[in-house]
Amino acid sequence: MEFDELQKIWDSQTREPLWVINENALHKRILAKKNQAHHITTISELLLLFVNSIAGGLILGINFFKHSESLFLYIMAAWMFLTALYVLMSRFRRLKGENEFDRSMLGELNHAVSMATYQVHLSQLMRWNTLPIGILSLLSIWEGGKSVWLALGVLAFFALTYFASGWEHRVYTNKKRELESLQKKLEKEEITG
Amino acid sequence: MSELEQNHIFEMWLSQHKALLFKVVRAYAFTAMDQDDLFQEIIIQVWHSIPTFKQQSSNTTWMYRIALNTAIKWLSKERKHTQSQETLDHIQAILQESTIEMDERLTWLYEEIYKLDEIDRSISLLLLDGFSYKEMAGILGISESNVGVKINRIKKQLITKSKQQDCHGI
C-alpha cells in the first residue's frame, strides 16, 4: 500500500468515534483525581519549610528558656531558619518561572525537565543539609557532656536519613534522565538534519 | 473566565473533538485500563488549558497539542497503572466500545503507529489527519525541516510494513 491509501483508510474510518464516553463515570473519576492530586514538589517544599521553621523555633525556644549556653544549638537554629528561607525563595522563583514555557511538545518537555532539575537540586541540597545539622547535633551533645550512647544513636539516625534521602534523590534523577532522553529524541534531527 | 463559561467551552470541545482524543488515546495506550487512565489525564489537561487558549490556533490544533503533550508525558510515567490496578474491581469504565466495527486495516495501522516511538506516534497522527508541516512544527515546537525528516522516515517505514503485510494477504 502507498501512503495515500493508508490515508484514505484513516480518513474513512476515524470520523466516527471509537468509543462512547460514560460521562457519569468520567465526572466521578475526574473529581476523585482532583482531590488526590497533591503535587510532589509543593508537598516537599511545604514540608521542608515547616519542618525547618518549627524545628529551628523549638531549638531556639528551648535553648533560650532553659538559659542554655550551647552555641552549637543557636547555630543550628539559625541554620534551620536559613534553610527554610532558602526553600521559600526557591519556591517563589519556581512559581514565577512557571509561565515561561510555551504549550508546544518541546515547551512542555522543557518545563517538565526544568521541574525535574529543580527537584533533583532540592533533594540533593536537603541530602547534604543532613551533614551540618548532624555535626551540630553531635557537637551540642559533646558540649553538654551527654553519654556516648546518645551520640551514637544520633549518629545512626543521621546516617540513616542521609542514605534514605539518597534513595529519594535517585528517583528524581532517573525521572529527569527519562525526560531528557525524550527531549533529545524530539530535537535529534534538529541538529543532524 | 467564570467556571460556567469554562464548563460550556469544555462540553462543546468534548462533543466536537472526542474522535480526535480517542485517536490519540488509541495510539498511546494499549490496554483498556491504560486507555481509560490516559483519557482522564487528557480531559483534565484540556479543562485546565481552556483559560489559556488565545485563539491563535484552531480548536482542533489546540486539542491535538494538549492531547499529544499529555500522552507523551503520561507514557514516561513509571508504573502507570499500579494504583488503578488495586481498585480495578470497583471502578466503572469511562470508555465503552461503540457499535462500529473497526476495519482490520485500520487496526493494523494503529498497531504500526503504536510500535513507533513516542514522538513519531504524534507525528503519524498529525500527518494522517492532514496537518501541514508548519502546523506540526508549531504543535511539536521543532523546525519544519526536522518535521520533514521525521515524516519521510515514518512514511517509508509504514509503506514498507504495509507491503510486507500485503504479501501476507491482508
Side-chain angles (χ1 to χ4, degrees):
Chain A
M1 261 189 289
E2 288 306 315
F3 191 77
D4 290 348
E5 287 172 74
L6 290 175
Q7 180 97 57
K8 269 180 207 154
I9 297 167
W10 181 264
D11 286 343
S12 63
Q13 290 283 314
T14 56
R15 282 204 189 103
E16 291 301 318
L18 274 176
W19 292 295
V20 178
I21 304 170
N22 179 343
E23 294 197 6
N24 187 33
L26 174 67
H27 187 67
K28 278 186 194 160
R29 295 265 288 275
I30 290 176
L31 277 180
K33 209 151 196 169
K34 252 179 163 180
N35 291 339
Q36 59 170 248
H38 294 291
H39 201 284
I40 297 170
T41 311
T42 304
I43 289 173
S44 332
E45 283 168 341
L46 295 180
L47 208 65
L48 285 169
L49 204 63
F50 285 116
V51 165
N52 279 289
S53 317
I54 290 169
L58 274 176
I59 292 169
L60 187 70
I62 291 168
N63 215 19
F64 183 76
F65 288 112
K66 274 191 166 179
H67 302 291
S68 165
E69 294 300 314
S70 174
L71 173 70
F72 297 117
L73 285 180
Y74 280 115
I75 296 175
M76 186 150 65
W79 184 268
M80 284 179 158
F81 284 132
L82 281 174
T83 308
L85 188 69
Y86 177 81
V87 173
L88 188 67
M89 283 167 67
S90 304
R91 181 174 159 77
F92 283 140
R93 263 203 308 271
R94 177 179 73 80
L95 293 177
K96 214 176 152 190
E98 285 277 272
N99 298 323
E100 283 172 11
F101 301 91
D102 64 47
R103 297 221 64 158
S104 70
M105 193 176 284
L106 190 61
E108 291 270 4
L109 272 175
N110 287 340
H111 186 198
V113 170
S114 147
M115 278 302 301
T117 307
Y118 177 79
Q119 282 174 330
V120 167
H121 281 314
L122 201 65
S123 63
Q124 192 169 37
L125 195 79
M126 290 311 134
R127 190 180 189 209
W128 286 111
N129 201 31
T130 53
L131 291 180
I133 292 181
I135 290 168
L136 285 167
S137 304
L138 288 173
L139 285 171
S140 67
I141 288 172
W142 167 75
E143 195 184 28
K146 302 272 165 54
S147 79
V148 178
W149 291 110
L150 180 67
L152 283 174
V154 169
L155 190 65
F157 171 76
F158 279 104
L160 271 175
T161 311
Y162 182 78
F163 284 110
S165 57
W167 172 80
E168 187 202 5
H169 177 67
R170 274 192 296 280
V171 171
Y172 291 137
T173 311
N174 289 340
K175 175 86 185 154
K176 189 186 164 205
R177 257 189 231 131
E178 224 171 77
L179 288 165
E180 280 172 341
S181 107
L182 260 178
Q183 198 184 28
K184 274 181 201 144
K185 223 182 267 178
L186 186 58
E187 288 172 323
K188 205 163 68 189
E189 276 93 13
E190 198 81 49
I191 304 154
T192 56
Chain B
M1 178 182 283
S2 72
E3 199 166 321
L4 202 70
E5 282 173 303
Q6 197 171 352
N7 268 333
H8 177 69
I9 296 172
F10 177 71
E11 276 164 22
M12 197 170 67
W13 280 8
L14 192 60
S15 68
Q16 282 171 357
H17 303 291
K18 60 184 169 204
L20 176 161
L21 301 181
F22 293 161
K23 282 184 228 178
V24 176
V25 170
R26 179 73 174 76
Y28 279 88
F30 189 69
T31 65
M33 195 167 57
D34 280 351
Q35 286 165 350
D36 252 24
D37 190 41
L38 175 58
F39 184 69
Q40 266 183 83
E41 285 287 331
I42 292 176
I43 286 295
I44 290 170
Q45 290 309 318
V46 168
W47 163 265
H48 284 309
S49 80
I50 293 172
T52 57
F53 178 59
K54 301 275 192 301
Q55 299 189 331
Q56 286 161 342
S57 58
S58 69
N59 293 355
T60 318
T61 310
W62 182 258
M63 291 285 275
Y64 242 125
R65 191 184 289 238
I66 305 295
L68 292 174
N69 288 341
T70 312
I72 293 262
K73 281 202 272 185
W74 175 85
L75 259 194
S76 69
K77 272 192 207 165
E78 285 172 287
R79 298 175 62 79
K80 304 176 267 301
H81 53 240
T82 44
Q83 202 183 4
S84 46
Q85 261 174 338
E86 289 163 13
T87 52
L88 187 63
D89 295 339
H90 314 289
I91 54 172
Q92 225 181 335
I94 290 169
L95 299 176
Q96 293 163 348
E97 295 281 338
S98 74
T99 47
I100 305 156
E101 206 158 307
M102 206 195 278
D103 185 322
E104 63 174 13
R105 292 170 304 171
L106 186 67
T107 310
W108 171 84
L109 188 53
Y110 268 122
E111 277 168 12
E112 289 308 317
I113 292 173
Y114 192 77
K115 286 177 196 163
L116 299 171
D117 75 23
E118 308 90 325
I119 313 292
D120 287 354
R121 269 186 243 182
S122 301
I123 296 177
S124 318
L125 291 179
L126 295 170
L127 177 68
L128 287 162
D129 268 343
F131 281 80
S132 69
Y133 282 24
K134 195 178 170 188
E135 285 170 316
M136 285 192 227
I139 291 172
L140 300 168
I142 57 178
S143 67
E144 285 181 51
S145 59
N146 189 354
V147 170
V149 173
K150 285 177 190 289
I151 284 178
N152 281 338
R153 194 185 52 222
I154 294 167
K155 271 187 176 173
K156 235 181 250 172
Q157 199 173 326
L158 286 177
I159 291 166
T160 315
K161 289 273 181 71
S162 78
K163 281 179 182 158
Q164 285 168 358
Q165 201 67 14
D166 285 343
C167 292
H168 290 96
I170 295 176

